[in-house]
Amino acid sequence: MATAPPGQLRLGWWTRAAVHAGLATAGLSRRLGLGAGSIIGGRVTLALDPHALRHLAAGRRVVLVSGTNGKTTTSHLVAAAVRTAGRVAHNAGGSNMADGAVAALAEARDTEYAVIEVDELHLAAVAEAVDPAVVVLLNLTRDQLDRATEVGAIAAAVGQALARHPSTVVVANADDPMVVSAAALASRPVWVAAGASWLGDASSCPRCGQTLTFTEPGWQCVCGLARPTPDWWIEDSKVCTADAVLPLDIRLPGQVNRSNAAMALAAACAVGISADQAASALREVDVVAGRYAVVHRGGQDLRMLLAKNPAGWAGMLSMLSEPRPLLVIINAREADGRDTSWLWDVAFEQFGSRQVVASGERAADLGVRLSYAGLDHRTVADPLAALETLPPGQIDVVANYTAFHQFRRRLGREREVAG
Amino acid sequence: MSGESTVEIGLLLPDVLGTYSDAGNATILAQRLRWRGIAAEIRTITARDVPPTGCAVYLLGGGEDTAQLFAADWLRRHDQLRRTLETCAVTLAVCAGLQILGQSMTDSKGQHYPGLALLDITTAPGRQRAVGEVVATCAVPGVGSLTGFENHRGVTTLGPGTVPLGRVLTGTGNGTGTGTKYRGEGVLTDRIIGTYLHGPVLARNPALADHILHQATGQTLSPLDLPDQAALRNTYL
């Protein structure tokens, strides 16, 4: 089944019908202004044909991008690189469960490649269906403990899934002990020294629970789990392998995105893209699903950033190096995790003396946290009202998941009214 | 070393029991002392350190199963510290940290492990995880309603004569006493405050923080007016 030439594969009539029903639903959802429609469309297709994902993926070279942080950005980077070799189906909007994957594959039926961002909790099921050529495993840290399971259990489940795909190349972060414990069972690992911006969940061994020993650049445990020798590593602004040195002059900010780019390069090479070609494609990526975009509003230039857990924030703090005013928007809806405890594992103390406004549906949680961090700040729950308290010029806006999308929609509506 | 007047707050094993952001409680206790002009210092005590025994307050947080057993073993090996927790210091123990201080813990496979036996409680896994907001009436006079977030599978049974920290209004808490009028949350003794409310439990319940500080220092603490504090409690109560 998987040997048919790309783009030539025929779907069975029932899957075809299910795909048409899903696409029609998605189109309707878009016309009604309910959203991008990919989730509802994918759900309709899957409800009609539970094997739709397997059928839609058959014959394509699929790259799955998973991990706690950086999935959306890295999948955009991989897609940009792979696009230099052929057409790519990609869940660019970040719908990262099976329904989002189905929608992306249904909307671009005849592509040779697919680059799919997958939630780490759904990686096993999606990998089972699409038989990926490559799985990229960025990092595994805590995120939404209230609805997910503890991170050690996630790593174990991912590990078992990878072991079931012996021909899959697993591009894995050698600096993340959780990832290494998960990828240890992979037959074809490619280790990337991508760094780990936050090891708050990884100081004890994921395999045996004892304390890990960190000795730059490695780490190890007495039980034998240790940092593998990397096949790819970052030196200054270059990515290196045993026989190549590539420039890493990407437009996306921060060390964490240089790490994402290194992972993306390794993944692109694993599907046969030439390294030089991939590296120049990465340079073109500047905005990722609204993130890193600059939105002009009145006299203010809002740089839009997303961080949703302690590890994401640890990477974010290096991007906030300039003394710009900062608007932080925090919600605690289902997609964010209902529990705001994680705010206490973010080193807000490092904000320094910039102007800070705490905002969002959990502005009070954030405000109390900032007070204990010794930061002068204002608390204004409504983000647009919060902007009014900040001066004109450049402003960094950091929001968690639903807060980010709500804020973007409100800015968009404002523009429509103004236009 | 700090001067004699500095109150030391010992954050025990944040590298092992740091899964649920409980380290924030140390920041809260230290800041609430500093804002009142009392010098305070957080001593971070990792599994590699020989634990100091002179702290006025010790904090134990929550963690995953393997981490919890490692922490219990580590505490057993440091008998001086155990004696300090038993006789002189005040301890806030959260979730896995609370279970460790009991007589025994049972894992999901039915295996029993001994605790530090500082509290007359035993913990066994429940049928399903208790995840969500908790509101309880606190047994400490003046604290009022406790608010917090729980996420655990442990069901904790208190021995006769052991008092819970609060009476559950919504949520699960210790998970015992279901069907009765009185469902307990946590444990309260002179020296140990145990709770299933993880993360910044003291941020949401500043009166409980001040109770701990009063027990530990013997000082009467002036009220603090923190911006957003009332709004934070209103979010959840």
Side-chain angles (χ1 to χ4, degrees):
Chain A
M1 182 169 79
T3 52
Q8 307 276 312
L9 201 89
R10 301 294 304 220
L11 295 175
W13 70 271
W14 182 245
T15 305
R16 261 195 335 265
V19 165
H20 283 303
L23 289 173
T25 311
L28 184 65
S29 166
R30 269 192 294 272
R31 280 194 297 282
L32 293 174
L34 298 176
S38 55
I39 294 180
I40 183 71
R43 277 187 197 162
V44 166
T45 303
L46 275 174
L48 293 171
D49 179 4
H51 301 295
L53 184 52
R54 179 183 305 274
H55 296 147
L56 284 165
R60 309 199 222 202
R61 298 189 39 84
V62 180
V63 180
L64 298 182
V65 179
S66 196
T68 311
N69 285 303
K71 291 185 286 289
T72 303
T73 300
T74 307
S75 78
H76 276 256
L77 292 169
V78 174
V82 175
R83 231 172 260 130
T84 62
R87 296 183 56 227
V88 178
H90 176 211
N91 53 346
S95 308
N96 60 20
M97 296 183 221
D99 42 21
V102 164
L105 295 171
E107 279 158 21
R109 279 273 302 284
D110 301 324
T111 69
E112 186 178 351
Y113 299 97
V115 176
I116 305 292
E117 159 187 352
V118 189
D119 184 277
E120 59 276 24
L121 295 171
H122 295 83
L123 178 60
V126 173
E128 198 55 47
V130 305
D131 191 20
V134 179
V135 170
V136 180
L137 204 50
L138 297 163
N139 45 59
L140 288 169
T141 63
R142 179 188 343 150
D143 187 30
Q144 303 177 25
L145 278 172
D146 61 317
R147 64 182 197 124
T149 167
E150 291 172 334
V151 63
I154 297 173
V158 168
Q160 284 157 17
L162 296 178
R164 286 195 293 271
H165 296 275
S167 59
T168 299
V169 176
V170 177
V171 176
N173 184 351
D175 291 325
D176 185 323
M178 282 290 172
V179 165
V180 173
S181 78
L185 296 171
S187 320
R188 299 175 64 194
V190 171
W191 299 108
V192 182
S197 48
W198 191 73
L199 287 165
D201 286 334
S203 46
S204 59
C205 175
R207 192 185 276 173
C208 72
Q210 304 201 59
T211 312
L212 292 172
T213 307
F214 287 87
T215 43
E216 275 302 311
W219 52 265
Q220 71 234 10
C221 179
V222 288
C223 77
L225 192 72
R227 178 184 188 252
T229 307
D231 303 299
W232 294 72
W233 61 94
I234 300 172
E235 259 173 39
D236 302 322
S237 57
K238 294 183 169 61
V239 187
C240 311
T241 67
D243 40 39
V245 176
L246 297 157
L248 195 59
D249 45 354
I250 55 168
R251 291 200 213 171
L252 299 178
Q255 180 58 41
V256 68
N257 281 324
R258 282 191 281 281
S259 299
N260 291 337
M263 297 289 286
L265 272 179
C269 290
V271 279
I273 313 297
S274 96
D276 290 323
Q277 210 172 317
S280 37
L282 299 197
R283 254 167 258 150
E284 304 304 316
V285 178
D286 56 356
V287 175
V288 170
R291 305 167 197 193
Y292 312 109
V294 176
V295 176
H296 307 285
R297 180 184 185 270
Q300 294 174 329
D301 292 331
L302 314 174
R303 186 164 67 136
M304 305 284 288
L305 301 163
L306 188 147
K308 57 192 174 74
N309 53 36
W313 267 101
M316 183 59 63
L317 285 167
S318 74
M319 295 181 209
L320 305 175
S321 54
E322 295 165 65
R324 293 182 192 180
L326 181 62
L327 170 64
V328 183
I329 318 171
I330 300 295
N331 284 358
R333 298 188 175 212
E334 191 183 352
D336 305 306
R338 299 276 183 198
D339 181 5
T340 56
S341 299
W342 62 273
L343 291 171
W344 289 83
D345 276 334
V346 178
F348 289 115
E349 287 82 357
Q350 294 175 15
F351 276 178
S353 58
R354 67 177 72 224
Q355 271 192 73
V356 182
V357 184
S359 189
E361 292 165 359
R362 289 293 179 270
D365 289 72
L366 177 63
V368 167
R369 169 70 189 101
L370 295 178
S371 291
Y372 279 108
L375 292 178
D376 241 348
H377 66 278
R378 273 190 299 273
T379 304
V380 183
D382 182 281
L384 291 181
L387 282 179
E388 305 300 328
T389 70
L390 288 169
Q394 296 181 320
I395 293 170
D396 280 339
V397 179
V398 187
N400 66 343
Y401 194 78
T402 68
F404 186 87
H405 292 292
Q406 258 178 5
F407 187 57
R408 272 186 77 200
R409 274 198 302 276
R410 287 186 66 188
L411 290 174
R413 274 204 297 273
E414 244 186 15
R415 301 190 139 196
E416 276 172 28
V417 172
Chain B
M1 278 307 277
S2 47
E4 231 174 85
S5 58
T6 300
V7 178
E8 295 192 330
I9 295 157
L11 178 59
L12 287 167
L13 302 177
D15 50 333
V16 181
L17 297 176
T19 306
Y20 294 95
S21 315
D22 301 306
N25 290 321
T27 309
I28 292 163
L29 291 173
Q31 289 287 52
R32 294 186 77 79
L33 287 172
R34 290 177 192 138
W35 288 335
R36 288 153 163 144
I38 301 167
E41 191 191 331
I42 297 171
R43 302 281 304 267
T44 300
I45 303 156
T46 72
R48 256 175 254 287
D49 300 323
V50 175
T53 53
C55 298
V57 184
Y58 287 90
L59 302 170
L60 268 173
E64 304 187 16
D65 291 356
T66 46
Q68 178 181 21
L69 296 178
F70 175 84
D73 187 56
W74 184 90
L75 286 165
R76 249 194 314 279
R77 279 187 277 124
H78 294 94
D79 195 52
Q80 290 278 22
L81 175 65
R82 185 193 172 282
R83 218 163 303 162
T84 301
L85 301 185
E86 189 171 24
T87 58
C88 356
V90 176
T91 303
L92 173 66
V94 180
C95 202
L98 162 66
Q99 298 170 4
I100 286 170
L101 299 186
Q103 303 287 354
S104 72
M105 305 162 279
T106 307
D107 72 7
S108 51
K109 296 178 191 108
Q111 178 88 31
H112 298 284
Y113 298 92
L116 283 204
L118 298 179
L119 294 170
D120 186 17
I121 61 170
T122 56
T123 302
R127 240 179 267 149
Q128 55 187 23
R129 256 187 121 72
V131 184
E133 291 291 334
V134 177
V135 178
T137 307
C138 190
V140 179
V143 171
S145 294
L146 285 176
T147 155
F149 200 96
E150 66 181 337
N151 184 348
H152 60 99
R153 226 187 121 191
V155 170
T156 296
T157 306
L158 278 53
T162 301
V163 180
L165 175 64
R167 182 190 283 225
V168 175
L169 299 175
T170 56
T172 301
N174 295 340
T176 41
T178 312
T180 66
K181 272 191 192 163
Y182 196 101
R183 292 183 297 132
E185 198 301 297
V187 176
L188 178 66
T189 72
D190 293 351
R191 308 218 154 274
I192 298 174
I193 291 95
T195 180
Y196 273 111
L197 308 184
H198 72 225
V201 59
L202 299 183
R204 290 210 203 171
N205 304 284
L208 185 63
D210 287 349
H211 166 75
I212 291 169
L213 292 173
H214 172 73
Q215 294 288 104
T217 65
Q219 300 199 41
T220 306
L221 300 161
S222 52
L224 285 176
D225 188 18
L226 196 65
D228 305 318
Q229 182 74 71
L232 173 59
R233 282 180 71 78
N234 284 339
T235 306
Y236 298 102
L237 291 173

